[in-house]
């Protein structure tokens, strides 16, 4: 009979084992946190945007994004890949290359920030809308990303020698530009269309909460950078909720961009000029539109959507009165309309006219 005593039979050993298991779980979570965070940003972006890109490839005559939208998206994707590479380098202890790449990322971050400004200004000057422009709500989200990415990225570069602050600020800078990706997960996340604020709840739960948990696991308190950054993000979200859809905000946006755009001037067309434009335009079983005239006014009805009033701006182009949307009529040599090209700020698509 052996005199060895099993370590599991020692008094209090079960508590020691539990403590070791807890520490192991914490170690696994914290050691790979920033690499996993970078991967989560990439996965969420792929899940959000891939269906749109597949739709554009499958249906080339359907909505196609403006070339600058592709460029802007490529820059955002490169930023997320850069963040992943930097997180892996730091995790492996290759700090020399991490620092060298960080110097290059300063210039890249500046380019990305400028591209964000262009992405905000270009469509609102090229495609001006009415005072009650529905894009004013989208502008709030874009400005949120612009302001907080610029703030956290610049701050992170300034304190790059303080690792604990630098890495948290880089996470916060990435979170600031993730709202568009999270919004496109409506097919997966619940209640996305229920209210404007739900999108912020999803973002904070998916991306901000893990950073707070990381702090609690590693330093058993919330880091001051996480507190300040999280408070600023939430304060910005609350400001968006207050301004969203209000006439004051819509008028402010309109007044800001109006001096830089040419006003839309209606051209009165004769019955002979209008007649070829009327009819049904087809792009697929669930993808058709009707252009009609009632009481001297032109109307556009797309599939099962609302009826929109539009005005003629030339003999081959019309403009919606309540949304930035232009319709160009492509004609043959005999003046017969073959198709229409619908152009909105960030997308364009074609519909062929059905033979009468």
């Amino acid at each position: 009979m052996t005199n060895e005593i099993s370590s599991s039979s020692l008094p209090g050993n079960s508590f020691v084992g539990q403590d070791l298991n807890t520490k192991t779980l914490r170690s696994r979570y914290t050691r790979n946190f920033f690499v996993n965070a970078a991967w989560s940003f990439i996965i969420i972006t792929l899940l959000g945007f891939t269906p749109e890109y597949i739709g554009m490839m499958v249906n080339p005559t359907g909505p196609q994004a403006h070339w600058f939208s592709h460029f802007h998206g490529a820059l955002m994707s490169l930023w997320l890949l850069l963040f992943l590479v930097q997180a892996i380098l730091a995790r492996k202890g290759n700090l020399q290359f991490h620092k060298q790449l960080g110097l290059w990322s300063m210039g890249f971050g500046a380019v990305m920030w400028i591209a964000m400004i262009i992405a905000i200004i270009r469509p609102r000057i090229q495609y001006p809308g009415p005072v009650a422009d529905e894009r004013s709500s989208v502008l709030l989200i874009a400005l949120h990303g612009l302001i907080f990415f610029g703030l956290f990225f610049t701050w992170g570069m300034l304190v790059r020698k303080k690792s604990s602050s630098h890495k948290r600020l880089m996470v916060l800078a990435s979170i600031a530009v993730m709202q568009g990706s999270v919004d496109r997960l409506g097919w997966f996340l619940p209640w996305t269309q229920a209210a404007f604020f739900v999108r912020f709840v999803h973002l904070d739960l998916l991306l901000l909460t893990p950073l707070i948990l990381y702090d609690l696991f590693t330093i058993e308190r919330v880091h001051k950078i996480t507190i300040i950054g999280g408070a600023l993000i939430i304060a910005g979200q609350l400001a968006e909720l207050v301004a969203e859809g209000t006439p004051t905000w819509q008028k402010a946006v309109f007044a800001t961009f109006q001096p830089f755009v040419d006003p839309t001037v209606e051209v009165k067309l004769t019955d002979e000029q209008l007649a070829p434009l009327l009819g049904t335009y087809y792009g697929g079983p669930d993808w058709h539109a009707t252009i009609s005239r009632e009481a001297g006014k032109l109307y556009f009805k797309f599939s099962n959507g609302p009826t929109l009033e539009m005005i003629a701006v030339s003999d081959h182009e019309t403009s919606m009165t309540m949304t930035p949307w232009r319709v160009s009529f492509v004609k043959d040599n005999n003046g017969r309309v073959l198709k229409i090209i619908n152009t909105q700020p960030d997308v364009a698509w074609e519909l062929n006219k059905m033979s009468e």
Side-chain angles (χ1 to χ4, degrees):
M1 185 175 179
T2 180
N3 292 324
E4 292 182 2
I5 300 175
S6 172
S7 61
S8 62
S9 65
L10 292 174
N13 188 71
S14 61
F15 297 102
V16 173
Q18 290 176 8
D19 186 55
L20 289 174
N21 288 335
T22 301
K23 288 183 178 179
T24 300
L25 288 173
R26 286 186 177 184
S27 177
R28 289 176 180 174
Y29 178 78
T30 58
R31 186 171 62 247
N32 300 304
F33 173 78
F34 292 97
V35 174
N36 292 337
W39 275 118
S40 70
F41 295 150
I42 293 172
I43 291 171
I44 289 172
T45 300
L46 287 174
L47 290 175
F49 282 93
T50 298
E52 289 188 12
Y53 275 88
I54 291 176
M56 285 186 281
M57 290 186 291
V58 171
N59 184 12
T61 61
Q64 299 295 314
H66 190 275
W67 70 265
F68 191 82
S69 296
H70 292 297
F71 176 71
H72 182 234
L75 288 180
M76 292 293 183
S77 299
L78 282 175
W79 164 259
L80 296 180
L81 288 173
L82 177 62
F83 180 72
L84 173 63
V85 171
Q86 287 290 66
I88 292 174
L89 289 173
R91 171 68 183 84
K92 291 182 175 295
N94 192 345
L95 298 182
Q96 182 177 358
F97 189 40
H98 176 87
K99 292 177 181 178
Q100 292 174 347
L101 191 59
L103 293 175
W104 178 85
S105 70
M106 288 186 187
F108 180 77
V111 171
M112 195 172 107
W113 195 71
I114 293 172
M116 292 169 71
I117 295 176
I118 296 174
I120 290 173
I121 294 176
R122 179 198 62 79
R124 285 163 181 81
I125 292 180
Q126 189 173 2
Y127 301 96
V131 175
D133 192 340
E134 59 188 12
R135 293 177 298 169
S136 62
S137 297
V138 180
L139 178 60
L140 285 168
I141 296 174
L143 288 175
H144 181 103
L146 175 71
I147 293 170
F148 288 113
F149 174 82
L151 172 64
F152 295 139
F153 177 78
T154 303
W155 189 2
M157 290 295 104
L158 292 175
V159 299
R160 61 187 180 276
K161 293 183 179 180
K162 298 179 180 179
S163 175
S164 62
S165 297
H166 171 74
K167 58 189 180 183
R168 286 173 172 83
L169 286 165
M170 292 299 101
V171 170
L172 291 167
S174 299
I175 291 175
V177 296
M178 285 296 295
Q179 188 68 69
S181 299
V182 173
D183 287 348
R184 286 169 172 78
L185 295 181
W187 55 269
F188 171 73
L189 297 174
W191 310 306
T192 301
Q193 304 299 326
F196 191 72
F197 76 90
V198 174
R199 63 185 64 200
F200 303 141
V201 175
H202 288 154
L203 177 77
D204 296 344
L205 288 176
L206 285 173
L207 304 178
L208 190 56
T209 301
L211 181 60
I212 297 173
L213 293 176
Y214 169 78
D215 286 350
L216 294 175
F217 280 175
T218 53
I219 59 177
E220 298 183 347
R221 59 180 174 82
V222 182
H223 195 281
K224 65 179 181 180
I225 293 296
T226 305
I227 294 175
I228 296 172
L232 287 173
I233 287 176
I234 293 173
Q237 292 170 342
L238 292 175
E240 291 177 60
L241 291 175
V242 171
E244 194 270 330
T246 62
T248 301
W249 171 248
Q250 292 173 340
K251 290 177 182 178
V253 173
F254 182 80
T256 299
F257 292 102
Q258 188 62 22
F260 305 100
V261 303
D262 296 326
T264 300
V265 179
E266 182 178 6
V267 175
K268 295 295 184 180
L269 300 181
T270 64
D271 292 343
E272 184 179 354
Q273 291 173 309
L274 283 172
L277 312 183
L278 308 179
T280 300
Y281 295 83
Y282 184 82
D286 300 315
W287 194 250
H288 60 274
T290 302
I291 296 178
S292 60
R293 180 175 52 167
E294 297 179 20
K297 294 184 178 181
L298 283 174
Y299 293 96
F300 182 102
K301 182 174 177 56
F302 177 67
S303 297
N304 296 321
T307 300
L308 303 174
E309 182 183 348
M310 59 185 185
I311 60 173
V313 295
S314 73
D315 63 349
H316 63 276
E317 188 174 40
T318 61
S319 176
M320 304 297 175
T321 59
M322 294 304 294
T323 186
W325 180 347
R326 295 222 167 187
V327 179
S328 300
F329 297 83
V330 179
K331 303 178 180 180
D332 61 15
N333 294 332
N334 298 320
R336 184 171 65 93
V337 176
L338 302 176
K339 63 181 180 180
I340 57 175
I341 300 175
N342 298 275
T343 308
Q344 291 179 276
D346 293 309
V347 295
W349 72 93
E350 299 179 2
L351 295 173
N352 295 316
K353 188 173 185 183
M354 295 182 67
S355 58
E356 299 175 357

